[in-house]
Amino acid sequence: MKLDPAVVKLLSLDPEHTTVSSAGGGGCSSASTSKITEKGSDGKERCFFMKTGSGKEAKVMFEGEHASLNAIHTAVPTLCPQSFGWGSFTSSAGTSFLVTDFLTLTSRRSSTSSTASLASKLASLHTTPAPIPDGYDKPQFGFPATTCCGDTPQDNSFKSSWAEFYAQNRLRFILRRAEAANGKDGELHDLVEKSASKVVPRLLGDDHLNGGKGVVPVVVHGDLWSGNAGVGVFGTDAGKGEAEEVVYDSSACYAHSEFELGIMKMFGGFGGSFLKEYHGLVPKTEPVEEYEDRVALYELYHHLNHYALFGGGYRSGAVSIMKGLVRKYGSS
């Protein structure tokens, strides 16, 4: 495979000493992946991971993933690959690309590893206040780019209220996507509306969380199921350097830290010891007695997103969560 001039320019590569080979894992339904290897005159290699895709959808996805990875990388550099850039091929304007660090995935870290655990890295990410967006005087909930959760491009327009962001930009937004994909559904519509208008203000209101202090926006991965976390070495050879616990295929936004836990609960893979270590560093938001219900409310978004993307049984999971929360908080 010949490397496109736009990628050569971005990475300042020597095409005569650069090879491209297939790599696994694309993070979405339509992306292809490649490993770029440049061998220098000194025999040392530089390696990169590249995703490519066609059409507007790929362009939006790669722009968002570039911003996502670098938001996480800026806060906790060893938590995810760094993104070097994205753009369109010179040879094919309809083909987009994203280039990041190459990550050699390996087995779990050794018991003697000196590198930080995933729980501690995630805790560091979730205790670092989000940056202040251009044009604002304080951190906001949202994100400066559209990010994709699976193949869903999300509405990340900024809001100062977390409850408003979650109700509008997540629940009502994904309901519209679900209805567009699966048709009108009176029961589902009514339950989402009650969840957004009653449950969200009751559980997530700025005057309710942390004794009325609200929550500080932090960067979250946004799609952190177990398939988007692993152990790897940045570079070509898993035998060189220590393995790091890492995340990838991010769908970042500035959010309440506990929003991260919704999809982690939905698909599992992060056990009790993980959460014990994590919450030892990031205490549960007050009121602590409502923690499980908040996590269920955050899990709801992912059930609705999966229903919008895949239909079928994901509807029942969403309905079950909403009925329970509406029963408990819907009359508040």
Side-chain angles (χ1 to χ4, degrees), residues 14-31:
D14 178 358
E16 296 299 318
H17 297 91
T18 301
T19 59
V20 185
S21 57
S22 179
C28 70
S29 63
S30 56

Side-chain angles (χ1 to χ4, degrees), residues 191-204:
L191 283 169
V192 172
E193 186 52 41
K194 285 180 178 177
S195 298
S197 63
K198 298 288 187 180
V199 178
V200 168
R202 168 61 182 79
L203 281 178
L204 307 182

Side-chain angles (χ1 to χ4, degrees), residues 72 79-80 118-119 121-123 125-126 148-150 154 219-230 245-253 257-270 274-275 278 298 301-302 305-306:
I72 295 170
L79 180 53
C80 74
L118 181 60
K121 289 182 183 183
L122 199 64
L125 182 69
H126 290 171
C148 295
C149 192
Q154 302 173 119
V219 178
V220 298
H221 176 286
D223 192 14
L224 191 51
W225 67 292
S226 58
N228 284 342
E245 295 205 56
V246 292
V247 298
Y248 31 82
D249 293 340
S250 57
S251 177
C253 66
S257 59
E258 290 178 354
F259 176 57
E260 195 87 278
L261 306 179
I263 192 158
M264 295 171 75
K265 179 186 175 188
M266 180 177 176
F267 288 115
F270 303 92
F274 176 95
L275 287 173
Y278 171 82
Y298 295 147
Y301 170 71
H302 296 286
N305 184 42
H306 278 69

Side-chain angles (χ1 to χ4, degrees), residues 33-188:
T33 60
S34 304
K35 177 182 179 181
I36 301 170
T37 305
E38 180 192 52
K39 194 163 188 176
S41 56
D42 58 0
K44 292 184 179 180
E45 292 183 344
R46 289 200 300 158
C47 294
F48 306 91
F49 180 74
M50 180 173 68
K51 293 183 181 181
T52 57
S54 300
K56 180 182 177 182
E57 293 81 4
K59 181 179 180 181
V60 170
M61 181 171 287
F62 294 159
E63 180 181 11
E65 188 174 350
H66 168 76
S68 291
L69 287 172
N70 284 346
I72 295 170
H73 188 271
T74 296
V76 187
T78 61
L79 180 53
C80 74
Q82 180 180 3
S83 177
F84 297 102
W86 69 281
S88 299
F89 279 178
T90 301
S91 59
S92 174
T95 300
S96 299
F97 67 88
L98 169 75
V99 182
T100 73
D101 282 320
F102 189 84
L103 185 66
T104 303
L105 294 177
T106 183
S107 58
R108 304 300 293 176
R109 293 185 311 154
S110 71
S111 58
T112 58
S113 175
S114 63
T115 60
S117 68
L118 181 60
S120 65
K121 289 182 183 183
L122 199 64
S124 180
L125 182 69
H126 290 171
T127 52
T128 302
I132 299 172
D134 291 342
Y136 292 85
D137 60 2
K138 64 178 182 179
Q140 300 289 304
F141 298 100
F143 203 61
T146 298
T147 52
C148 295
C149 192
D151 285 347
T152 299
Q154 302 173 119
D155 177 6
N156 288 331
S157 53
F158 288 121
K159 288 185 169 56
S160 59
S161 162
W162 170 240
E164 183 183 358
F165 178 87
Y166 192 66
Q168 291 292 117
N169 297 46
R170 289 298 180 261
L171 294 186
R172 290 186 174 115
F173 165 80
I174 201 59
L175 173 64
R176 293 191 294 271
R177 299 277 301 191
E179 289 183 332
N182 299 295
K184 297 292 183 180
D185 182 327
E187 180 188 35
L188 190 74

Side-chain angles (χ1 to χ4, degrees), residues 247-328:
V247 298
Y248 31 82
D249 293 340
S250 57
S251 177
C253 66
Y254 306 148
H256 179 201
S257 59
E258 290 178 354
F259 176 57
E260 195 87 278
L261 306 179
I263 192 158
M264 295 171 75
K265 179 186 175 188
M266 180 177 176
F267 288 115
F270 303 92
S273 59
F274 176 95
L275 287 173
K276 182 178 180 181
E277 181 183 358
Y278 171 82
H279 281 306
L281 299 166
V282 185
K284 296 174 182 177
T285 299
E286 294 287 350
V288 172
E289 61 270 18
E290 293 173 358
Y291 165 84
E292 296 290 348
D293 290 330
R294 289 194 301 269
V295 174
L297 181 58
Y298 295 147
E299 183 182 348
L300 168 62
Y301 170 71
H302 296 286
H303 283 271
L304 291 169
N305 184 42
H306 278 69
Y307 177 58
L309 290 170
F310 309 115
Y314 289 106
R315 179 189 183 279
S316 63
V319 167
S320 177
I321 291 173
M322 288 187 287
K323 283 184 174 179
L325 292 175
V326 168
R327 189 181 308 117
K328 194 170 182 179

